Amino acid sequence: MDTKQHILNAAELLFSHHGYKATSMRAITESAGVNLAAVNYHFGSKKALIESAMERRLRPLNEIRQKRLNELSEASRRTGQKTAVQDILRSFIEPVLLLKESRKGEADFSALIGRAFIDPDDTVQKIFLRLMKPVSQLMLDMLGDALPELPEDVIFWRYQFVIGALARIMRMYKNPRYESLQKAFKTDVESLMDGLIYFTSAGMEAPMKKKNRHRNKY
């Protein structure tokens, strides 16, 4: 493994455990066994380093998502039938939870993405949202086609609820810090995926509550 990959692996581990702001460049160089000049040579800054670490994992993950979503769109065009909301959400959720089950470094990345939504410094979240923009737009377009009765803003916010639920699971699943919350039961990844997809699809498809136009008079 070359120096650049050593640095990325060390940064990913430390950022996922301690957050962006609390992780120093010194801690990264010590963990990677390199000097600061090597980090500056390959990345130039702490922000560029975390961006590279996130892009390294997100790019192939989103390529899988986009491929699956495009296949669903093609099948819909072929058959003339709307794509099921559950299938759209499965294409988005399943790859990331299967990634969580894979090699250790990829599990660290999943924890890093989960932390992006709770870290008080929004640097990581801004990078994440920018890298996610193409697949997010595809998701919104497909959900809009699948749910034509819902306004665009409702679909947008419900999609944010999906991301929030997924981020929470990424942060908690198989994280020793949350073992006390799991009580005595174990959850396998297949059951977790099915539960999340069922839960989020029900929320996405829920009819809008009619507003009461008549206010009570006192």
Side-chain angles (χ1 to χ4, degrees), residues 73-121:
S73 292
E74 179 57 33
S76 177
R77 283 192 292 270
R78 235 178 14 250
T79 63
Q81 297 181 341
K82 289 192 301 184
T83 305
V85 171
Q86 280 200 14
D87 290 339
I88 297 171
L89 293 175
R90 184 173 293 278
S91 296
F92 183 77
I93 290 170
E94 193 172 67
V96 74
L97 290 183
L98 292 177
L99 178 74
K100 181 79 173 170
E101 286 286 278
S102 62
R103 296 186 301 273
K104 177 64 169 62
E106 291 170 344
D108 289 334
F109 171 70
S110 293
L112 173 62
I113 296 303
R115 175 179 280 277
F117 291 90
I118 61 171
D119 200 303
D121 189 296

Side-chain angles (χ1 to χ4, degrees), residues 116-136:
F117 291 90
I118 61 171
D119 200 303
D121 189 296
D122 64 358
T123 301
V124 180
Q125 188 174 8
K126 286 180 178 178
I127 294 170
F128 171 76
L129 292 174
R130 183 178 60 77
L131 293 173
M132 284 293 298
K133 188 174 181 179
V135 73
S136 287

Side-chain angles (χ1 to χ4, degrees), residues 23 31 48 54 61 68 71 76 87-88 108-109 113 118-119 126-127 134 156 177-178 199 201 216-217:
T23 300
S31 179
M54 294 179 71
L61 176 65
R68 292 180 58 166
E71 287 172 351
S76 177
D87 290 339
I88 297 171
D108 289 334
F109 171 70
I113 296 303
I118 61 171
D119 200 303
K126 286 180 178 178
I127 294 170
F156 172 83
R177 294 176 62 184
Y178 290 92
F199 178 80
S201 63
N216 292 329
K217 295 181 179 180

